[in-house]
């Protein structure tokens, strides 16, 4: 997955300025094909739930709120400034860099973003963890398992699941609303937190 150290701006990943379409082989390896997205998505869909009646798909890591903000902005059309917050304690300058990175990622993947297709957006901007979390939310719903939504990345994965299969919203319970500024936008897009 992309992190703060491997952002869309990283000179080690891009062989040319973002204004040109050419990418180095390292950058190309970060771009997902629909097949790769589907494989990780399905991994989440086959999360073992045979003996469970509740799951909580979550993530651990630094830089995930930047990815969550980019995905939220892409899926909802909201401005990146509305979606970006302080994460694990950024100052105002850090938030400004985060907003700039999200804008740059959205511009780089403008074709996928303009499609409004959740799978294309997830493939262009997401990581393996959010693809698997999205699949887990969908699988929970199809199995009658309650899925706890906890945190910003988890709530964005839940939103992707709902955009793919609206009825899965009924199986979701929010344990909290993240302090991230975009968290309320996710709750709004999901029809409220319950």
């Amino acid at each position: 997955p992309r992190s703060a150290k491997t952002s869309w701006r990283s000179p080690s990943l891009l062989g040319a300025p973002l204004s040109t379409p050419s990418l180095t082989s390292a950058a190309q390896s970060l771009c997902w094909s629909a097949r790769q997205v589907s494989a990780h998505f399905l991994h989440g869909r086959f999360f073992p739930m045979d003996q469970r009646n509740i799951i909580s798909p979550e993530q651990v890591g630094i830089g995930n709120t930047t990815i969550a903000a980019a995905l939220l902005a892409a899926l909802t059309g909201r401005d990146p400034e509305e979606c970006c917050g302080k994460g694990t304690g950024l100052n105002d300058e850090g938030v400004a860099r985060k907003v700039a990175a999200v804008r740059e990622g959205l511009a780089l993947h403008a074709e996928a973003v303009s499609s409004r297709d959740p799978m294309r957006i997830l493939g262009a901007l997401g990581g393996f963890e959010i693809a698997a979390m999205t699949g887990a939310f969908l699988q929970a719903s199809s199995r009658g398992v309650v899925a706890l939504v906890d945190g910003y990345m988890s709530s964005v994965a839940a939103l992707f699941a709902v955009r793919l299969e609206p009825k899965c919203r009924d199986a979701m319970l929010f344990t909290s609303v993240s302090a991230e500024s975009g968290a309320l936008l996710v709750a709004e897009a999901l029809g409220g937190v319950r």
Side-chain angles (χ1 to χ4, degrees), residues 20-153:
T20 65
S22 62
L23 298 173
T24 66
S25 61
Q28 289 175 8
S29 71
L30 290 177
C31 297
W32 294 12
S33 68
R35 185 174 171 165
Q36 287 172 306
V37 173
S38 296
H40 286 85
F41 177 73
L42 290 172
H43 176 74
R45 300 266 327 231
F46 294 108
F47 186 83
M49 296 183 201
D50 296 337
Q51 309 251 335
R52 291 169 181 79
N53 55 15
I54 192 166
I55 64 160
S56 183
E58 297 184 34
Q59 85 295 331
V60 176
I62 301 297
N64 288 335
T65 60
T66 304
I67 301 305
L71 289 165
L72 177 62
L75 192 61
T76 64
R78 300 300 288 251
D79 189 277
E81 281 191 42
E82 297 177 273
C83 302
C84 292
K86 294 190 176 201
T88 56
L90 291 176
N91 59 21
D92 290 343
E93 185 179 306
V95 173
R97 281 192 311 271
K98 185 184 207 177
V99 170
V102 169
R103 286 190 196 287
E104 206 160 344
L106 295 174
L108 181 64
H109 298 289
E111 187 177 322
V113 172
S114 67
S115 77
R116 294 287 187 240
D117 177 348
M119 288 295 283
R120 286 189 66 197
I121 292 169
L122 193 57
L125 295 167
F128 295 130
E129 73 283 7
I130 196 163
M133 291 166 68
T134 299
F137 283 120
L138 290 166
Q139 182 70 356
S141 173
S142 72
R143 298 263 181 124
V145 173
V146 173
L148 300 180
V149 183
D150 184 33
Y152 192 33
M153 182 65 98

